[in-house]
Amino acid sequence: MMKKKLKLGVLVSGSGSNLQAIIDQIEMGRLDGEIKIVISNNPDAYAIKRCDKHGIPVTVVRHEDFFARDDFDSAMIKTLNDHAVELIVMAGFMRILSTAFLRTYPLKIMNIHPALLPAFPGLHVQKKAVEYGVKFSGCTVHFADEGVDTGPIIIQAVVPVLPDDTETTLAERILREEHKIYPQAIQWFAEGRLEVTGRHVRVKEHIAPPPRAQINPDLVHM
């Protein structure tokens, strides 16, 4: 029996590397999803070229063409509904969604953030992590809510922050993990395995690994 494919709508503004990771996992048969539509608010986004290469439909909805944010979001809602989208995936979408949009799709909008939330929400977070002097950073997949990067956390990946790191080198290290955990979170959703209670997201039938600590800088054993 053929598996049911989750109908995805992806929102992009830039290069779309996370979009590419999702496309790759779908094409390798590791993600039971189908990208029904990609919406970009930026007509020059490189993500659009990625879609053209893989035959994925794209709609450009320029926020500058709308007087009010709600009107912009209403246009996106219509496009997503026209394609019967079941999960909305934000992949570098650089616009804050309106309350009306978020309430239209409760617990059906995912976002990825290049920090270990709740630390460093917002923008330029790799730079903030380096400047703050943290020893670990990472990335977070979460459900979007009406706050800024405040929704229930689905999965996180941790990376060390090295003494000579810059914003760029840390961002590259984090991005490699983003490409792993975002498709995984979407696959769990496709399988109906995400159970949300308040702020807590449980992956049903998931066997937790043995607890282990990460230490940076590592201990010196005398």
Side-chain angles (χ1 to χ4, degrees):
M1 181 184 295
M2 182 176 295
K3 290 184 179 179
K4 180 181 180 295
K5 293 185 178 181
L6 180 68
K7 297 175 183 177
L8 301 172
V10 185
L11 309 184
V12 298
S13 295
S15 70
S17 70
N18 272 303
L19 167 64
Q20 187 66 58
I22 293 165
I23 292 170
D24 292 345
Q25 292 298 305
I26 290 173
E27 292 184 348
M28 288 188 286
R30 297 174 180 172
L31 175 52
D32 301 325
E34 178 183 6
I35 300 175
K36 302 297 291 185
I37 188 67
V38 171
I39 299 177
S40 176
N41 66 315
N42 174 14
D44 299 318
Y46 186 75
I48 295 173
K49 294 183 179 180
R50 297 181 190 273
C51 293
D52 292 343
K53 179 180 178 181
H54 293 272
I56 297 170
V58 182
T59 295
V60 175
V61 183
R62 288 165 37 96
H63 55 272
E64 297 96 332
D65 295 338
F66 297 87
F67 179 75
R69 189 178 72 173
D70 285 350
D71 295 334
F72 167 68
D73 283 4
S74 293
M76 291 201 300
I77 289 170
K78 182 180 186 307
T79 300
L80 293 164
N81 289 346
D82 286 347
H83 289 84
V85 166
E86 297 169 306
L87 178 68
I88 299 161
V89 178
M90 298 174 69
F93 187 65
M94 304 306 292
R95 301 294 297 176
I96 296 175
L97 299 174
S98 68
T99 298
F101 188 100
L102 291 161
R103 291 182 179 177
T104 301
Y105 305 104
L107 297 178
K108 292 184 178 180
I109 305 171
M110 279 189 191
N111 186 40
I112 190 157
H113 184 73
L116 293 175
L117 294 174
F120 304 119
L123 300 175
H124 310 298
V125 297
Q126 301 95 332
K127 183 174 185 289
K128 292 175 183 176
V130 170
E131 290 178 348
Y132 200 88
V134 297
K135 302 305 181 185
F136 290 99
S137 188
C139 47
T140 304
V141 180
H142 63 96
F143 285 112
D145 65 4
E146 294 177 31
V148 177
D149 302 318
T150 57
I153 291 170
I154 301 167
I155 184 173
Q156 294 181 305
V158 178
V159 302
V161 180
L162 305 179
D164 59 350
D165 262 333
T166 64
E167 175 185 3
T168 300
T169 58
L170 178 59
E172 290 171 351
R173 189 175 306 120
I174 291 172
L175 189 60
R176 289 193 290 270
E177 302 309 313
E178 291 182 37
H179 295 166
K180 299 173 187 176
I181 68 172
Y182 213 177
Q184 178 63 81
I186 297 167
Q187 178 62 20
W188 284 332
F189 188 98
E191 294 169 348
R193 293 176 60 190
L194 297 180
E195 185 177 83
V196 184
T197 306
R199 288 211 49 82
H200 297 272
V201 181
R202 185 174 74 91
V203 182
K204 291 184 285 187
E205 301 175 6
H206 182 262
I207 300 174
R212 57 187 181 272
Q214 297 187 52
I215 301 173
N216 181 31
D218 203 356
L219 299 178
V220 176
H221 298 286
M222 303 300 291

